[in-house]
Amino acid sequence: MKNIIDGFNFDVPPTESQVVALAQYHRKQLDEAMFHQEIHLGEFCLAQRKRVHDYTQNLAPLQKLGFYRVYNGELHRLADDDDLHPAHAEGGVSVFAVFLVLAIIALILYFAVIRSVLN
């Protein structure tokens, strides 16, 4: 059974500190990869996840669940909150704003085009 991922030796079952260390290492690698134009980040992250997946295939179902719970939890904890692009800003445009813009366009068309045509 392969007990090594990216140079980290794992016990069977892996301890929480080992999984946390791996997640921190993967986050550090991702941060460094962002500044290299020759690295495609999607493929880089998929390769990391593939190595983790290959390791977890040999774990018992409960051990696998625990591994992913700790690994994903640590990655989520390490994730940077982007203050310039908050999550609530990604919700889209409100219905009120759409109707307001349409009303303004209708008024402009009325006073600029339709009113002059009718007179």
Side-chain angles (χ1 to χ4, degrees):
M1 180 163 130
K2 180 181 171 188
N3 292 332
I4 299 174
I5 305 174
D6 293 337
F8 287 86
N9 291 317
F10 286 93
D11 298 333
V12 178
T15 64
E16 188 169 326
S17 62
Q18 292 171 330
V19 177
V20 166
L22 178 66
Q24 290 172 348
Y25 176 71
H26 280 175
R27 174 56 192 222
K28 181 182 174 200
Q29 279 187 319
L30 179 61
D31 286 342
E32 292 171 359
M34 282 192 245
F35 298 106
H36 297 283
Q37 291 182 349
E38 68 275 0
I39 296 176
H40 185 271
L41 291 180
E43 292 173 4
F44 182 79
C45 291
L46 285 174
Q48 282 182 337
R49 288 299 237 189
K50 174 73 170 121
R51 290 190 300 272
V52 169
H53 173 76
D54 290 344
Y55 169 75
T56 60
Q57 289 305 300
N58 297 320
L59 296 176
L62 287 176
Q63 293 172 344
K64 182 189 238 184
L65 187 65
F67 181 95
Y68 278 117
R69 181 186 51 78
V70 173
Y71 182 79
N72 292 335
E74 182 64 14
L75 288 177
H76 190 269
R77 188 188 70 76
L78 293 172
D80 295 332
D81 289 331
D82 189 358
D83 294 333
L84 298 176
H85 302 95
H88 65 81
E90 300 294 326
V93 180
S94 72
V95 175
F96 175 75
V98 171
F99 283 121
L100 182 65
V101 169
L102 289 175
I104 292 171
I105 292 172
L107 285 172
I108 291 171
L109 285 174
Y110 175 75
F111 286 110
V113 177
I114 297 173
R115 194 169 171 193
S116 65
V117 170
L118 292 177
N119 290 337

